Amino acid sequence: MLSLRSARILVTPLRSPRTQSSPLFNHSRALLHQRRQLAKMAASTEDRASSSMPVWIKPSRGTEVPVLKVYNSLTRTKDEFIPTKGMSVDWYNCGPTVYDASHMGHARNYLTQDIVRRILRDYFGYDVNFVMNITDIDDKIILRAREQYLLDQAIESNPTLSSTLLEDTHTAFSTFFESKLLKSLPSPVPPRSPNDTTLNHFALIEERNANDAEFSRAAKEKEEKWSMYLSNLSKSAQAIKLAEKRSSSGETGGDSVRDLVEGTSGVLGPYYGQTLAHTVSDPIGICRSLTAHWEAKFFQDMARLRVLPPDVITRVSEYIPEIVSFVQRIVDRGFAYEGGGSIWFDVNKFEGASEEEEGNSFKHEYAKLQPSSKGNKKLLDEGEGALTASSGKRQAADFAIWKAKSKPGEPAWASPWGEGRPGWHIECSVMASAILGKGMDIHSGGVDLMFPHHDNELAQSEAYHGCQQWVNYFLHTGHLHIEGLKMSKSLKNFITIDEALAKFSARQLRLAFMLQLWNAKMDFREDLLKDVRTKEDLFDNFFSNVKARLNQAGQSGPSPDGKHHFDAPEHALMNEFHSAQQAFRASLCDSFNTPQAISTLVNLVGEVNTYISKASYNAHVLEPIAEWVTRMLRMFGLGEGGATGGIGWGKEGDEAGGADFESRLDKYLKAMSSFRDDVRKLAISGGSSKDMLALCDRFRDEDLVNLGVQLDDGQGADGSALYKLVDPAVLLRAREEKAAIAADKAAKKAANAAAAEAKRKEQLEKGRVDPKDMFKPPNVPQGAYTEWDDAGLPLKDGEGKDVAKSQLKKLVKEQKVQEKLHEAFLAWQASGES
């Protein structure tokens, strides 16, 4: 072995008078390198020997660790998730257009994205920068704000029901009827006479729709808004008829004006919007008033659904200067043009245009998300909005990134191209770029936004930045259907979040969404909610069972009998636990597969329940499992209250810094004190043991249940009662179900008893006839027999012939049976029951 000293000698540099290009110099340099390597090896060997360092064998990974893959709408496949900033994730989410109440479609979108956001943040450990916009400039907002303002003005300017207002509602009704409903008829429904009013004509169509299923089906197939049109006109017709009745009777004051205007708002609002738009003096102000109201309502609803607030909120109206600059750059780069006062994005110029980014050449692509929708006029028109004029547009696929002010009453801002407002698609491009720069990891929104909104957003952003890929992962949440029918705000067949939360808890709604894949169509059905409640009860019972057993077992410490109590059943359970953890991770790595993840938790709970059911168990083995299940459920946002540790998903109102200890104990102490008083009174009065047991049962089944305490007699390790802390609502529901079952059982028992009693009485009634008279009329047909003996037995038949011996023998037996029945009847009669 080389010594350290010899190593130093070996690495002494060679000196050569020759130049560095000479062969001798090159040979010397190679020899020097070899000597230095030998020296390092010698030093390493010597150091290892002197320190007795053990040989370390690098372990091999026995199980492949799953990597997170995300379904990416850009590739229509599951791609490995690779953020561009290490553990930091930039995420932009298309927020709501705030002009009406939030509905379950919003809940599907934002609640689902909240679940994914929590998984990224709280399970995978990413730092998520979540940016969301509020669309407060939009054609729908302009129309709604203007219509609402003009309807309010109509109420204010008409202190009494005037003929002018009534005439306006008739005109509005006729306009809507002719422009919407008549054009949607699958087959003509002519009025009864040429002089029929529009109201009468509508009544005929409404009657036909109600009584002719094929007509109704064909109408809905021709026009998806058919039902909405009918509803609007039906409500308006009723309001007009009521107003005319009031007017003829002189009831023109009070609520008559408001009832008429609000009742006909579906037809009167659009009519006033078309005819009185020029009277709106502050269109920006009325839009801001409307959007501020509904934005506040939206965030209130999101808070009730336990949706995390965004890290950054952007509003379109606050980014007008940035939007103008953004549009100008797209124009300057040759991807947009001015026409009719508007700025149009040139799709043909963009698609296939060559660019260079960081030395790499590429060509732009249009409609990356839904290339099959290129040229879809219906989708393109919907994307432009109801107020956008097409004058100046060179081709149908081009879209407005700046809209010229075309009519009075529209909000407008100054720009190099004249007064106007942003196009819908440009808004997110500008705000996302302002906050996140040249690109982002995730962009999300509902699947209905893919084309044209998100495709146009991608095009204009990549045109602005000169980049090939502005978004790395596009996440689109699936449509929401209610009992098989697509829900749509425009069709007015939606359930508001208020309505949903009146029937279901926020946790139940979140769990319902988690039982469906986030990017698949979701059908919100009653059987889904039943499954949700079943799983909620399963976890509730699991948590209460584990906590009860841990409370009974007390603190961890040395076992009193000196044994470890960690045998084959415990090993098996822990193996199931670790397998569940691996399966859970694999599910979430598979594009956030929450249905499979929840199924894994449910199966693990089943394994724990099986383990608990055995005669002997180690309660402390349950603790890490229950704590992990708790953490995973809370990670999904299924927890309630402010608790962050322990077992169970908590209860609403359990916030940190809540009620103090004494006030929280108060209701329990009162119940215990009242029970003690009842026991003392019973003992003093000499009550029986039966009365005492009844009192104990009442305390268990009534007082403790109301407090959320479940007491299971004889379930403790030593045969004592086992108490569990459970949501009172769950216990009350169980008590009501138990009472209903008991009542049903009692009713059946009573019915059976009544049937038995009726049968007994029927049998006794058979004994009412004296045996001596049973073969005489009227108990037998007249003339059946003509002569009897002293006991009442027949001697002669109806023809005067002797009764045959075989028949007489049979009659004797029947008489003996009747004698017994008669005796029973006489006894029953004597008892007074008959």
Side-chain angles (χ1 to χ4, degrees), residues 410-462:
E410 293 180 5
W413 291 263
S415 82
W417 317 283
E419 283 197 330
R421 63 182 184 277
W424 176 37
H425 313 301
I426 199 71
E427 299 169 351
C428 288
S429 293
V430 175
M431 292 182 289
S433 297
I435 304 300
L436 301 177
K438 194 175 179 179
M440 68 200 71
D441 298 302
I442 298 175
H443 195 317
S444 61
V447 68
D448 54 316
L449 297 178
M450 288 179 72
F451 186 90
H453 183 54
H454 284 160
D455 267 325
N456 288 354
E457 192 184 328
L458 278 173
Q460 63 205 9
S461 300
E462 289 168 1

Side-chain angles (χ1 to χ4, degrees), residues 173 297 519 530 559 768:
F173 186 93
K297 292 288 187 183
N519 59 327
K530 288 179 182 177
S559 175
R768 182 179 291 274

Side-chain angles (χ1 to χ4, degrees), residues 95-100 106 110 134-136 138 140-141 424 489:
T97 301
V98 282
Y99 69 98
D100 207 340
H106 293 116
Y110 300 112
I134 297 293
T135 297
D136 59 355
D138 178 80
K140 296 186 186 75
I141 291 171
W424 176 37
K489 182 185 284 189

Side-chain angles (χ1 to χ4, degrees), residues 583-632:
F584 188 84
R585 176 173 290 275
S587 296
L588 295 188
C589 283
D590 184 20
S591 192
F592 316 110
N593 190 332
T594 54
Q596 188 60 49
I598 291 295
S599 178
T600 298
L601 296 180
V602 168
N603 292 338
L604 178 60
V605 168
E607 294 292 340
V608 172
N609 290 340
T610 300
Y611 172 76
I612 290 175
S613 67
K614 297 174 182 177
S616 176
Y617 60 84
N618 183 345
H620 295 295
V621 175
L622 310 176
E623 192 166 12
I625 300 175
E627 286 180 345
W628 180 76
V629 172
T630 294
R631 290 198 306 275
M632 295 308 98

Side-chain angles (χ1 to χ4, degrees), residues 355-369:
E355 294 248 29
E356 187 172 302
E357 182 183 22
E358 297 178 357
N360 295 319
S361 296
F362 66 91
K363 290 186 177 181
H364 285 300
E365 299 175 68
Y366 177 66
K368 292 179 177 180
L369 295 168

Side-chain angles (χ1 to χ4, degrees), residues 467-722:
C467 65
Q468 185 176 9
Q469 185 167 289
W470 186 56
V471 174
N472 292 335
Y473 302 89
F474 240 119
L475 310 188
H476 286 102
T477 54
H479 277 305
L480 179 72
H481 287 226
I482 306 292
E483 296 292 343
L485 297 175
K486 181 183 173 183
M487 196 180 72
S488 167
K489 182 185 284 189
S490 64
L491 301 182
K492 298 189 183 299
N493 66 331
F494 58 88
I495 300 173
T496 66
I497 291 176
D498 254 344
E499 292 167 341
L501 286 174
K503 295 180 66 178
F504 314 107
S505 70
R507 181 166 68 205
Q508 288 170 338
L509 292 176
R510 183 177 288 259
L511 189 53
F513 291 159
M514 290 183 63
L515 295 178
Q516 313 287 315
L517 289 173
W518 61 271
N519 59 327
K521 183 188 80 173
M522 176 184 176
D523 200 354
F524 196 71
R525 291 182 178 273
E526 186 59 35
D527 55 0
L528 172 63
L529 272 302
K530 288 179 182 177
D531 188 27
V532 165
R533 291 190 179 101
T534 298
K535 286 180 169 56
E536 190 177 33
D537 288 344
L538 176 79
F539 287 119
D540 274 333
N541 292 332
F542 168 69
F543 290 137
S544 61
N545 277 328
V546 171
K547 286 191 286 187
R549 282 157 176 77
L550 287 173
N551 286 335
Q552 189 177 65
Q555 296 295 321
S556 297
S559 175
D561 60 6
K563 297 180 180 180
H564 55 68
H565 298 287
F566 203 99
D567 299 309
E570 287 70 36
H571 279 286
L573 181 61
M574 293 306 287
N575 287 337
E576 292 289 349
F577 173 36
H578 297 143
S579 296
Q581 289 178 310
Q582 293 173 15
F584 188 84
R585 176 173 290 275
S587 296
L588 295 188
C589 283
D590 184 20
S591 192
F592 316 110
N593 190 332
T594 54
Q596 188 60 49
I598 291 295
S599 178
T600 298
L601 296 180
V602 168
N603 292 338
L604 178 60
V605 168
E607 294 292 340
V608 172
N609 290 340
T610 300
Y611 172 76
I612 290 175
S613 67
K614 297 174 182 177
S616 176
Y617 60 84
N618 183 345
H620 295 295
V621 175
L622 310 176
E623 192 166 12
I625 300 175
E627 286 180 345
W628 180 76
V629 172
T630 294
R631 290 198 306 275
M632 295 308 98
L633 291 175
R634 291 192 176 188
M635 177 270 295
F636 287 134
L638 293 167
E640 302 264 2
T644 55
I647 292 172
W649 44 26
K651 300 181 183 69
E652 190 172 1
D654 287 350
E655 305 292 343
D660 58 35
F661 181 71
E662 289 183 3
S663 63
R664 295 179 71 177
L665 276 183
D666 184 63
K667 55 186 179 181
Y668 300 98
L669 295 175
K670 282 181 179 177
M672 292 169 62
S673 176
S674 177
F675 173 65
R676 179 179 179 275
D677 291 341
D678 291 339
V679 170
R680 291 184 74 250
K681 289 176 184 176
L682 190 61
I684 292 170
S685 65
S688 66
S689 58
K690 184 178 179 181
D691 294 332
M692 186 68 72
L693 289 173
L695 187 62
C696 290
D697 288 346
R698 191 188 73 185
F699 180 66
R700 177 196 63 197
D701 298 336
E702 298 292 333
D703 301 333
L704 290 182
V705 164
N706 293 336
L707 294 171
V709 179
Q710 180 177 325
L711 206 60
D712 294 340
D713 291 332
Q715 296 298 309
D718 56 354
S720 60
L722 184 70

Side-chain angles (χ1 to χ4, degrees), residues 72-91:
N72 188 356
S73 297
L74 283 165
T75 62
R76 291 172 283 284
T77 189
K78 295 175 185 177
D79 296 321
E80 183 178 350
F81 184 64
I82 307 173
T84 57
K85 299 178 183 176
M87 293 302 291
S88 295
V89 175
D90 284 337
W91 183 340

